Amino acid sequence: MDILPQLILNSIIAGAIYSLVALGFNLIYSTAKFFDLGYGVLTAVGGYAVFFLTKSLGANLYFSVIAGLLIAGLIGFVVEKFVYRPLRKRKSSSMTLLVAALGVFTALQALIAILFSSQFQTLSLNAGPSKTFEILGGVITEVQLIILLVGFIVMFGLAFLLKKTIFGKAIRAISDDEEVSKIVGLNTEKIMGFVFFIGAAIAGLAGILVGFDTGIE
C-alpha cells in the first residue's frame, strides 16, 4: 500500500462526509437565514438511533437506517416548529436565534450522553470483516465506498430537487425573499418545516455513515 494514494483516498472520503453535512446545513442556512448550531448534533442523533435499534432492539439493519433518518429528520422538524419558528414570528435577532440554537445543541448532546453514555460505540454493516478494495495503490473499505456513492447521490438528488421540482422552486423563492413568498401565496412555515426535516435527515445520514466507518462517541 502506497502512502500518497491512501492519503488521497482518505481525504476524498472525509470530504464526502463533510460535504453531506454541508449540504444539509447550507439548505437550512440559505432558507432560514441563520446559523443553526444545533444542526451538528443531529449527526449524532442519526448514528445513535441506528445503534439503539440494531444493538439494543435487534432490529433489521436497513429498517434501522431508514428509521434513523426519519428520527433525525423529525427532531429537526420539531426543533424548527417549537423553538425557531416562534422566535422568527417575533422577529427575533440573529443573535437570539444563535443562542437558541446553542441551547438546542447543548440539550440534545446532553440527552444523548445520558441515554448512551460517552463511551465509544461502533456500528456493523456486516457480521464478518468488512470487504476492502484496492484503487490506484490505496485501500478503501466497503463502507467508505458506500460513503462516496451516497455523497454523490445526495448531492445530485438535492440539486434535482431544488432546480427541477415545484417544491425546490418554492424553497429558492423563500431563500430569495420570504415576505414576498408569503404575499404570492406560499405556505412558508410548512415549507420551512420540510426544509429542516430534509436537512436534519441528511445530517443523520452523515452520522450513520460515520458510525459504520469509524464509530460514534
Side-chain angles (χ1 to χ4, degrees), residues 40-78:
V41 78
L42 293 173
T43 58
V45 168
Y48 275 103
V50 173
F51 171 78
F52 175 74
L53 290 169
T54 55
K55 298 294 178 69
S56 300
L57 300 183
N60 176 270
L61 178 63
Y62 299 104
F63 167 80
S64 299
V65 170
I66 294 172
L69 297 180
L70 292 176
I71 291 170
L74 284 172
I75 290 177
F77 177 84
V78 168

PDB file of all heavy atoms in Angstrom, residues 40-78:
ATOM      1  N   GLY A  40     -25.432  20.415  14.112  1.00  0.00           N
ATOM      2  CA  GLY A  40     -24.327  19.472  14.228  1.00  0.00           C
ATOM      3  C   GLY A  40     -24.665  18.233  15.027  1.00  0.00           C
ATOM      4  O   GLY A  40     -24.252  17.123  14.676  1.00  0.00           O
ATOM      5  N   VAL A  41     -25.438  18.393  16.101  1.00  0.00           N
ATOM      6  CA  VAL A  41     -25.728  17.252  16.973  1.00  0.00           C
ATOM      7  C   VAL A  41     -26.685  16.264  16.315  1.00  0.00           C
ATOM      8  O   VAL A  41     -26.793  15.111  16.743  1.00  0.00           O
ATOM      9  CB  VAL A  41     -26.289  17.748  18.326  1.00  0.00           C
ATOM     10  CG1 VAL A  41     -27.748  18.134  18.196  1.00  0.00           C
ATOM     11  CG2 VAL A  41     -26.118  16.694  19.410  1.00  0.00           C
ATOM     12  N   LEU A  42     -27.370  16.683  15.250  1.00  0.00           N
ATOM     13  CA  LEU A  42     -28.287  15.781  14.559  1.00  0.00           C
ATOM     14  C   LEU A  42     -27.541  14.647  13.856  1.00  0.00           C
ATOM     15  O   LEU A  42     -28.125  13.605  13.584  1.00  0.00           O
ATOM     16  CB  LEU A  42     -29.144  16.561  13.558  1.00  0.00           C
ATOM     17  CG  LEU A  42     -30.127  17.547  14.197  1.00  0.00           C
ATOM     18  CD1 LEU A  42     -30.808  18.381  13.131  1.00  0.00           C
ATOM     19  CD2 LEU A  42     -31.157  16.812  15.043  1.00  0.00           C
ATOM     20  N   THR A  43     -26.259  14.844  13.572  1.00  0.00           N
ATOM     21  CA  THR A  43     -25.470  13.742  13.026  1.00  0.00           C
ATOM     22  C   THR A  43     -25.362  12.624  14.054  1.00  0.00           C
ATOM     23  O   THR A  43     -25.464  11.441  13.724  1.00  0.00           O
ATOM     24  CB  THR A  43     -24.061  14.216  12.635  1.00  0.00           C
ATOM     25  OG1 THR A  43     -23.402  14.780  13.780  1.00  0.00           O
ATOM     26  CG2 THR A  43     -24.121  15.275  11.547  1.00  0.00           C
ATOM     27  N   ALA A  44     -25.160  13.019  15.320  1.00  0.00           N
ATOM     28  CA  ALA A  44     -25.091  12.025  16.397  1.00  0.00           C
ATOM     29  C   ALA A  44     -26.438  11.354  16.609  1.00  0.00           C
ATOM     30  O   ALA A  44     -26.504  10.153  16.911  1.00  0.00           O
ATOM     31  CB  ALA A  44     -24.625  12.684  17.692  1.00  0.00           C
ATOM     32  N   VAL A  45     -27.521  12.093  16.449  1.00  0.00           N
ATOM     33  CA  VAL A  45     -28.860  11.526  16.612  1.00  0.00           C
ATOM     34  C   VAL A  45     -29.070  10.367  15.642  1.00  0.00           C
ATOM     35  O   VAL A  45     -29.559   9.293  16.019  1.00  0.00           O
ATOM     36  CB  VAL A  45     -29.942  12.602  16.397  1.00  0.00           C
ATOM     37  CG1 VAL A  45     -31.327  11.962  16.283  1.00  0.00           C
ATOM     38  CG2 VAL A  45     -29.930  13.609  17.541  1.00  0.00           C
ATOM     39  N   GLY A  46     -28.695  10.571  14.376  1.00  0.00           N
ATOM     40  CA  GLY A  46     -28.845   9.508  13.389  1.00  0.00           C
ATOM     41  C   GLY A  46     -28.022   8.283  13.740  1.00  0.00           C
ATOM     42  O   GLY A  46     -28.516   7.148  13.692  1.00  0.00           O
ATOM     43  N   GLY A  47     -26.765   8.500  14.109  1.00  0.00           N
ATOM     44  CA  GLY A  47     -25.880   7.391  14.440  1.00  0.00           C
ATOM     45  C   GLY A  47     -26.354   6.600  15.643  1.00  0.00           C
ATOM     46  O   GLY A  47     -26.391   5.364  15.631  1.00  0.00           O
ATOM     47  N   TYR A  48     -26.747   7.309  16.707  1.00  0.00           N
ATOM     48  CA  TYR A  48     -27.175   6.625  17.921  1.00  0.00           C
ATOM     49  C   TYR A  48     -28.549   5.978  17.757  1.00  0.00           C
ATOM     50  O   TYR A  48     -28.849   4.989  18.430  1.00  0.00           O
ATOM     51  CB  TYR A  48     -27.172   7.596  19.096  1.00  0.00           C
ATOM     52  CG  TYR A  48     -25.824   7.725  19.744  1.00  0.00           C
ATOM     53  CD1 TYR A  48     -25.025   8.836  19.510  1.00  0.00           C
ATOM     54  CD2 TYR A  48     -25.328   6.723  20.572  1.00  0.00           C
ATOM     55  CE1 TYR A  48     -23.766   8.951  20.089  1.00  0.00           C
ATOM     56  CE2 TYR A  48     -24.079   6.823  21.154  1.00  0.00           C
ATOM     57  CZ  TYR A  48     -23.301   7.944  20.905  1.00  0.00           C
ATOM     58  OH  TYR A  48     -22.058   8.042  21.482  1.00  0.00           O
ATOM     59  N   ALA A  49     -29.387   6.524  16.905  1.00  0.00           N
ATOM     60  CA  ALA A  49     -30.686   5.890  16.640  1.00  0.00           C
ATOM     61  C   ALA A  49     -30.482   4.513  16.012  1.00  0.00           C
ATOM     62  O   ALA A  49     -31.110   3.531  16.425  1.00  0.00           O
ATOM     63  CB  ALA A  49     -31.523   6.774  15.720  1.00  0.00           C
ATOM     64  N   VAL A  50     -29.573   4.429  15.048  1.00  0.00           N
ATOM     65  CA  VAL A  50     -29.279   3.140  14.418  1.00  0.00           C
ATOM     66  C   VAL A  50     -28.623   2.207  15.415  1.00  0.00           C
ATOM     67  O   VAL A  50     -28.930   0.999  15.461  1.00  0.00           O
ATOM     68  CB  VAL A  50     -28.376   3.336  13.173  1.00  0.00           C
ATOM     69  CG1 VAL A  50     -27.927   1.989  12.605  1.00  0.00           C
ATOM     70  CG2 VAL A  50     -29.105   4.136  12.113  1.00  0.00           C
ATOM     71  N   PHE A  51     -27.721   2.739  16.230  1.00  0.00           N
ATOM     72  CA  PHE A  51     -27.066   1.917  17.257  1.00  0.00           C
ATOM     73  C   PHE A  51     -28.089   1.310  18.210  1.00  0.00           C
ATOM     74  O   PHE A  51     -28.040   0.110  18.517  1.00  0.00           O
ATOM     75  CB  PHE A  51     -26.065   2.774  18.038  1.00  0.00           C
ATOM     76  CG  PHE A  51     -25.506   2.088  19.253  1.00  0.00           C
ATOM     77  CD1 PHE A  51     -24.502   1.141  19.130  1.00  0.00           C
ATOM     78  CD2 PHE A  51     -25.999   2.381  20.519  1.00  0.00           C
ATOM     79  CE1 PHE A  51     -23.996   0.490  20.254  1.00  0.00           C
ATOM     80  CE2 PHE A  51     -25.497   1.744  21.642  1.00  0.00           C
ATOM     81  CZ  PHE A  51     -24.493   0.787  21.508  1.00  0.00           C
ATOM     82  N   PHE A  52     -29.030   2.117  18.675  1.00  0.00           N
ATOM     83  CA  PHE A  52     -30.043   1.635  19.612  1.00  0.00           C
ATOM     84  C   PHE A  52     -30.938   0.575  18.972  1.00  0.00           C
ATOM     85  O   PHE A  52     -31.225  -0.462  19.576  1.00  0.00           O
ATOM     86  CB  PHE A  52     -30.891   2.810  20.103  1.00  0.00           C
ATOM     87  CG  PHE A  52     -32.040   2.405  20.980  1.00  0.00           C
ATOM     88  CD1 PHE A  52     -31.825   2.001  22.291  1.00  0.00           C
ATOM     89  CD2 PHE A  52     -33.339   2.420  20.493  1.00  0.00           C
ATOM     90  CE1 PHE A  52     -32.884   1.616  23.102  1.00  0.00           C
ATOM     91  CE2 PHE A  52     -34.403   2.030  21.297  1.00  0.00           C
ATOM     92  CZ  PHE A  52     -34.170   1.631  22.601  1.00  0.00           C
ATOM     93  N   LEU A  53     -31.369   0.832  17.746  1.00  0.00           N
ATOM     94  CA  LEU A  53     -32.295  -0.082  17.089  1.00  0.00           C
ATOM     95  C   LEU A  53     -31.642  -1.423  16.761  1.00  0.00           C
ATOM     96  O   LEU A  53     -32.264  -2.476  16.906  1.00  0.00           O
ATOM     97  CB  LEU A  53     -32.844   0.557  15.810  1.00  0.00           C
ATOM     98  CG  LEU A  53     -33.805   1.740  16.020  1.00  0.00           C
ATOM     99  CD1 LEU A  53     -34.079   2.451  14.706  1.00  0.00           C
ATOM    100  CD2 LEU A  53     -35.103   1.268  16.650  1.00  0.00           C
ATOM    101  N   THR A  54     -30.385  -1.379  16.318  1.00  0.00           N
ATOM    102  CA  THR A  54     -29.718  -2.626  15.919  1.00  0.00           C
ATOM    103  C   THR A  54     -29.145  -3.396  17.100  1.00  0.00           C
ATOM    104  O   THR A  54     -29.295  -4.614  17.195  1.00  0.00           O
ATOM    105  CB  THR A  54     -28.594  -2.340  14.914  1.00  0.00           C
ATOM    106  OG1 THR A  54     -27.682  -1.367  15.464  1.00  0.00           O
ATOM    107  CG2 THR A  54     -29.150  -1.820  13.601  1.00  0.00           C
ATOM    108  N   LYS A  55     -28.476  -2.681  18.022  1.00  0.00           N
ATOM    109  CA  LYS A  55     -27.786  -3.362  19.115  1.00  0.00           C
ATOM    110  C   LYS A  55     -28.706  -3.649  20.305  1.00  0.00           C
ATOM    111  O   LYS A  55     -28.603  -4.702  20.936  1.00  0.00           O
ATOM    112  CB  LYS A  55     -26.601  -2.516  19.585  1.00  0.00           C
ATOM    113  CG  LYS A  55     -25.535  -2.283  18.523  1.00  0.00           C
ATOM    114  CD  LYS A  55     -24.833  -3.583  18.138  1.00  0.00           C
ATOM    115  CE  LYS A  55     -23.805  -3.381  17.045  1.00  0.00           C
ATOM    116  NZ  LYS A  55     -22.636  -2.615  17.489  1.00  0.00           N
ATOM    117  N   SER A  56     -29.598  -2.742  20.625  1.00  0.00           N
ATOM    118  CA  SER A  56     -30.461  -2.921  21.799  1.00  0.00           C
ATOM    119  C   SER A  56     -31.763  -3.653  21.479  1.00  0.00           C
ATOM    120  O   SER A  56     -32.244  -4.459  22.269  1.00  0.00           O
ATOM    121  CB  SER A  56     -30.787  -1.559  22.431  1.00  0.00           C
ATOM    122  OG  SER A  56     -29.605  -0.909  22.850  1.00  0.00           O
ATOM    123  N   LEU A  57     -32.345  -3.346  20.312  1.00  0.00           N
ATOM    124  CA  LEU A  57     -33.626  -3.952  19.957  1.00  0.00           C
ATOM    125  C   LEU A  57     -33.488  -5.081  18.942  1.00  0.00           C
ATOM    126  O   LEU A  57     -34.460  -5.798  18.682  1.00  0.00           O
ATOM    127  CB  LEU A  57     -34.580  -2.875  19.407  1.00  0.00           C
ATOM    128  CG  LEU A  57     -34.927  -1.714  20.351  1.00  0.00           C
ATOM    129  CD1 LEU A  57     -35.937  -0.791  19.693  1.00  0.00           C
ATOM    130  CD2 LEU A  57     -35.470  -2.231  21.679  1.00  0.00           C
ATOM    131  N   GLY A  58     -32.308  -5.210  18.344  1.00  0.00           N
ATOM    132  CA  GLY A  58     -32.102  -6.276  17.373  1.00  0.00           C
ATOM    133  C   GLY A  58     -32.867  -6.090  16.084  1.00  0.00           C
ATOM    134  O   GLY A  58     -33.198  -7.063  15.386  1.00  0.00           O
ATOM    135  N   ALA A  59     -33.147  -4.844  15.714  1.00  0.00           N
ATOM    136  CA  ALA A  59     -33.920  -4.571  14.505  1.00  0.00           C
ATOM    137  C   ALA A  59     -33.081  -4.799  13.251  1.00  0.00           C
ATOM    138  O   ALA A  59     -31.850  -4.810  13.291  1.00  0.00           O
ATOM    139  CB  ALA A  59     -34.430  -3.124  14.532  1.00  0.00           C
ATOM    140  N   ASN A  60     -33.770  -4.981  12.139  1.00  0.00           N
ATOM    141  CA  ASN A  60     -33.114  -5.149  10.847  1.00  0.00           C
ATOM    142  C   ASN A  60     -32.275  -3.922  10.513  1.00  0.00           C
ATOM    143  O   ASN A  60     -32.681  -2.789  10.775  1.00  0.00           O
ATOM    144  CB  ASN A  60     -34.176  -5.377   9.770  1.00  0.00           C
ATOM    145  CG  ASN A  60     -33.587  -5.468   8.380  1.00  0.00           C
ATOM    146  OD1 ASN A  60     -33.466  -4.453   7.698  1.00  0.00           O
ATOM    147  ND2 ASN A  60     -33.232  -6.663   7.962  1.00  0.00           N
ATOM    148  N   LEU A  61     -31.108  -4.137   9.913  1.00  0.00           N
ATOM    149  CA  LEU A  61     -30.180  -3.038   9.647  1.00  0.00           C
ATOM    150  C   LEU A  61     -30.795  -1.988   8.724  1.00  0.00           C
ATOM    151  O   LEU A  61     -30.724  -0.787   8.994  1.00  0.00           O
ATOM    152  CB  LEU A  61     -28.891  -3.585   9.037  1.00  0.00           C
ATOM    153  CG  LEU A  61     -27.829  -2.542   8.654  1.00  0.00           C
ATOM    154  CD1 LEU A  61     -27.345  -1.795   9.887  1.00  0.00           C
ATOM    155  CD2 LEU A  61     -26.661  -3.200   7.934  1.00  0.00           C
ATOM    156  N   TYR A  62     -31.398  -2.432   7.633  1.00  0.00           N
ATOM    157  CA  TYR A  62     -31.950  -1.483   6.661  1.00  0.00           C
ATOM    158  C   TYR A  62     -33.118  -0.700   7.253  1.00  0.00           C
ATOM    159  O   TYR A  62     -33.251   0.511   7.031  1.00  0.00           O
ATOM    160  CB  TYR A  62     -32.381  -2.216   5.392  1.00  0.00           C
ATOM    161  CG  TYR A  62     -31.237  -2.921   4.698  1.00  0.00           C
ATOM    162  CD1 TYR A  62     -31.080  -4.303   4.795  1.00  0.00           C
ATOM    163  CD2 TYR A  62     -30.282  -2.195   3.981  1.00  0.00           C
ATOM    164  CE1 TYR A  62     -30.017  -4.942   4.175  1.00  0.00           C
ATOM    165  CE2 TYR A  62     -29.225  -2.824   3.356  1.00  0.00           C
ATOM    166  CZ  TYR A  62     -29.090  -4.195   3.460  1.00  0.00           C
ATOM    167  OH  TYR A  62     -28.032  -4.822   2.861  1.00  0.00           O
ATOM    168  N   PHE A  63     -33.942  -1.395   8.016  1.00  0.00           N
ATOM    169  CA  PHE A  63     -35.034  -0.702   8.710  1.00  0.00           C
ATOM    170  C   PHE A  63     -34.475   0.328   9.681  1.00  0.00           C
ATOM    171  O   PHE A  63     -34.992   1.445   9.792  1.00  0.00           O
ATOM    172  CB  PHE A  63     -35.896  -1.716   9.464  1.00  0.00           C
ATOM    173  CG  PHE A  63     -36.852  -1.093  10.444  1.00  0.00           C
ATOM    174  CD1 PHE A  63     -38.045  -0.554  10.013  1.00  0.00           C
ATOM    175  CD2 PHE A  63     -36.537  -1.027  11.807  1.00  0.00           C
ATOM    176  CE1 PHE A  63     -38.925   0.038  10.918  1.00  0.00           C
ATOM    177  CE2 PHE A  63     -37.404  -0.442  12.710  1.00  0.00           C
ATOM    178  CZ  PHE A  63     -38.612   0.089  12.264  1.00  0.00           C
ATOM    179  N   SER A  64     -33.419  -0.037  10.393  1.00  0.00           N
ATOM    180  CA  SER A  64     -32.821   0.854  11.389  1.00  0.00           C
ATOM    181  C   SER A  64     -32.242   2.106  10.741  1.00  0.00           C
ATOM    182  O   SER A  64     -32.365   3.209  11.288  1.00  0.00           O
ATOM    183  CB  SER A  64     -31.721   0.110  12.165  1.00  0.00           C
ATOM    184  OG  SER A  64     -32.256  -0.999  12.845  1.00  0.00           O
ATOM    185  N   VAL A  65     -31.612   1.948   9.579  1.00  0.00           N
ATOM    186  CA  VAL A  65     -31.043   3.105   8.881  1.00  0.00           C
ATOM    187  C   VAL A  65     -32.156   4.058   8.456  1.00  0.00           C
ATOM    188  O   VAL A  65     -32.059   5.280   8.650  1.00  0.00           O
ATOM    189  CB  VAL A  65     -30.220   2.649   7.665  1.00  0.00           C
ATOM    190  CG1 VAL A  65     -29.844   3.845   6.796  1.00  0.00           C
ATOM    191  CG2 VAL A  65     -28.959   1.913   8.119  1.00  0.00           C
ATOM    192  N   ILE A  66     -33.216   3.517   7.868  1.00  0.00           N
ATOM    193  CA  ILE A  66     -34.344   4.366   7.450  1.00  0.00           C
ATOM    194  C   ILE A  66     -34.969   5.050   8.661  1.00  0.00           C
ATOM    195  O   ILE A  66     -35.278   6.248   8.629  1.00  0.00           O
ATOM    196  CB  ILE A  66     -35.391   3.526   6.701  1.00  0.00           C
ATOM    197  CG1 ILE A  66     -34.807   3.019   5.374  1.00  0.00           C
ATOM    198  CG2 ILE A  66     -36.647   4.356   6.428  1.00  0.00           C
ATOM    199  CD1 ILE A  66     -35.691   2.028   4.652  1.00  0.00           C
ATOM    200  N   ALA A  67     -35.140   4.268   9.750  1.00  0.00           N
ATOM    201  CA  ALA A  67     -35.710   4.843  10.971  1.00  0.00           C
ATOM    202  C   ALA A  67     -34.804   5.926  11.542  1.00  0.00           C
ATOM    203  O   ALA A  67     -35.277   6.961  12.032  1.00  0.00           O
ATOM    204  CB  ALA A  67     -35.937   3.744  12.010  1.00  0.00           C
ATOM    205  N   GLY A  68     -33.483   5.716  11.470  1.00  0.00           N
ATOM    206  CA  GLY A  68     -32.537   6.716  11.953  1.00  0.00           C
ATOM    207  C   GLY A  68     -32.656   8.029  11.181  1.00  0.00           C
ATOM    208  O   GLY A  68     -32.606   9.117  11.779  1.00  0.00           O
ATOM    209  N   LEU A  69     -32.831   7.923   9.864  1.00  0.00           N
ATOM    210  CA  LEU A  69     -33.014   9.127   9.040  1.00  0.00           C
ATOM    211  C   LEU A  69     -34.296   9.852   9.432  1.00  0.00           C
ATOM    212  O   LEU A  69     -34.316  11.083   9.555  1.00  0.00           O
ATOM    213  CB  LEU A  69     -33.072   8.746   7.560  1.00  0.00           C
ATOM    214  CG  LEU A  69     -31.828   8.110   6.946  1.00  0.00           C
ATOM    215  CD1 LEU A  69     -32.065   7.789   5.474  1.00  0.00           C
ATOM    216  CD2 LEU A  69     -30.629   9.032   7.085  1.00  0.00           C
ATOM    217  N   LEU A  70     -35.369   9.081   9.620  1.00  0.00           N
ATOM    218  CA  LEU A  70     -36.655   9.686   9.978  1.00  0.00           C
ATOM    219  C   LEU A  70     -36.602  10.334  11.360  1.00  0.00           C
ATOM    220  O   LEU A  70     -37.152  11.417  11.564  1.00  0.00           O
ATOM    221  CB  LEU A  70     -37.753   8.623   9.940  1.00  0.00           C
ATOM    222  CG  LEU A  70     -38.107   8.070   8.556  1.00  0.00           C
ATOM    223  CD1 LEU A  70     -39.142   6.957   8.673  1.00  0.00           C
ATOM    224  CD2 LEU A  70     -38.626   9.177   7.650  1.00  0.00           C
ATOM    225  N   ILE A  71     -35.933   9.668  12.307  1.00  0.00           N
ATOM    226  CA  ILE A  71     -35.821  10.224  13.662  1.00  0.00           C
ATOM    227  C   ILE A  71     -35.050  11.533  13.653  1.00  0.00           C
ATOM    228  O   ILE A  71     -35.471  12.528  14.267  1.00  0.00           O
ATOM    229  CB  ILE A  71     -35.159   9.202  14.611  1.00  0.00           C
ATOM    230  CG1 ILE A  71     -36.100   8.014  14.860  1.00  0.00           C
ATOM    231  CG2 ILE A  71     -34.775   9.856  15.943  1.00  0.00           C
ATOM    232  CD1 ILE A  71     -35.446   6.851  15.574  1.00  0.00           C
ATOM    233  N   ALA A  72     -33.911  11.548  12.955  1.00  0.00           N
ATOM    234  CA  ALA A  72     -33.130  12.794  12.854  1.00  0.00           C
ATOM    235  C   ALA A  72     -33.943  13.884  12.179  1.00  0.00           C
ATOM    236  O   ALA A  72     -33.956  15.046  12.617  1.00  0.00           O
ATOM    237  CB  ALA A  72     -31.835  12.535  12.085  1.00  0.00           C
ATOM    238  N   GLY A  73     -34.648  13.518  11.086  1.00  0.00           N
ATOM    239  CA  GLY A  73     -35.467  14.495  10.376  1.00  0.00           C
ATOM    240  C   GLY A  73     -36.593  15.037  11.236  1.00  0.00           C
ATOM    241  O   GLY A  73     -36.862  16.249  11.244  1.00  0.00           O
ATOM    242  N   LEU A  74     -37.251  14.159  11.997  1.00  0.00           N
ATOM    243  CA  LEU A  74     -38.358  14.584  12.846  1.00  0.00           C
ATOM    244  C   LEU A  74     -37.891  15.501  13.972  1.00  0.00           C
ATOM    245  O   LEU A  74     -38.577  16.471  14.318  1.00  0.00           O
ATOM    246  CB  LEU A  74     -39.065  13.361  13.423  1.00  0.00           C
ATOM    247  CG  LEU A  74     -39.976  12.597  12.458  1.00  0.00           C
ATOM    248  CD1 LEU A  74     -40.464  11.299  13.090  1.00  0.00           C
ATOM    249  CD2 LEU A  74     -41.155  13.454  12.019  1.00  0.00           C
ATOM    250  N   ILE A  75     -36.723  15.196  14.538  1.00  0.00           N
ATOM    251  CA  ILE A  75     -36.199  16.073  15.591  1.00  0.00           C
ATOM    252  C   ILE A  75     -35.883  17.452  15.018  1.00  0.00           C
ATOM    253  O   ILE A  75     -36.186  18.479  15.635  1.00  0.00           O
ATOM    254  CB  ILE A  75     -34.955  15.438  16.243  1.00  0.00           C
ATOM    255  CG1 ILE A  75     -35.364  14.225  17.081  1.00  0.00           C
ATOM    256  CG2 ILE A  75     -34.221  16.462  17.131  1.00  0.00           C
ATOM    257  CD1 ILE A  75     -34.221  13.488  17.720  1.00  0.00           C
ATOM    258  N   GLY A  76     -35.290  17.480  13.823  1.00  0.00           N
ATOM    259  CA  GLY A  76     -35.040  18.760  13.171  1.00  0.00           C
ATOM    260  C   GLY A  76     -36.329  19.521  12.920  1.00  0.00           C
ATOM    261  O   GLY A  76     -36.411  20.743  13.127  1.00  0.00           O
ATOM    262  N   PHE A  77     -37.372  18.810  12.489  1.00  0.00           N
ATOM    263  CA  PHE A  77     -38.684  19.419  12.230  1.00  0.00           C
ATOM    264  C   PHE A  77     -39.293  19.974  13.511  1.00  0.00           C
ATOM    265  O   PHE A  77     -39.802  21.100  13.542  1.00  0.00           O
ATOM    266  CB  PHE A  77     -39.602  18.371  11.605  1.00  0.00           C
ATOM    267  CG  PHE A  77     -41.006  18.846  11.364  1.00  0.00           C
ATOM    268  CD1 PHE A  77     -41.321  19.562  10.215  1.00  0.00           C
ATOM    269  CD2 PHE A  77     -42.016  18.582  12.287  1.00  0.00           C
ATOM    270  CE1 PHE A  77     -42.626  20.012   9.986  1.00  0.00           C
ATOM    271  CE2 PHE A  77     -43.299  19.024  12.074  1.00  0.00           C
ATOM    272  CZ  PHE A  77     -43.618  19.736  10.921  1.00  0.00           C
ATOM    273  N   VAL A  78     -39.241  19.181  14.586  1.00  0.00           N
ATOM    274  CA  VAL A  78     -39.826  19.589  15.868  1.00  0.00           C
ATOM    275  C   VAL A  78     -39.088  20.799  16.444  1.00  0.00           C
ATOM    276  O   VAL A  78     -39.721  21.742  16.958  1.00  0.00           O
ATOM    277  CB  VAL A  78     -39.795  18.411  16.869  1.00  0.00           C
ATOM    278  CG1 VAL A  78     -40.128  18.887  18.279  1.00  0.00           C
ATOM    279  CG2 VAL A  78     -40.767  17.329  16.433  1.00  0.00           C
TER     280      VAL A  78
END
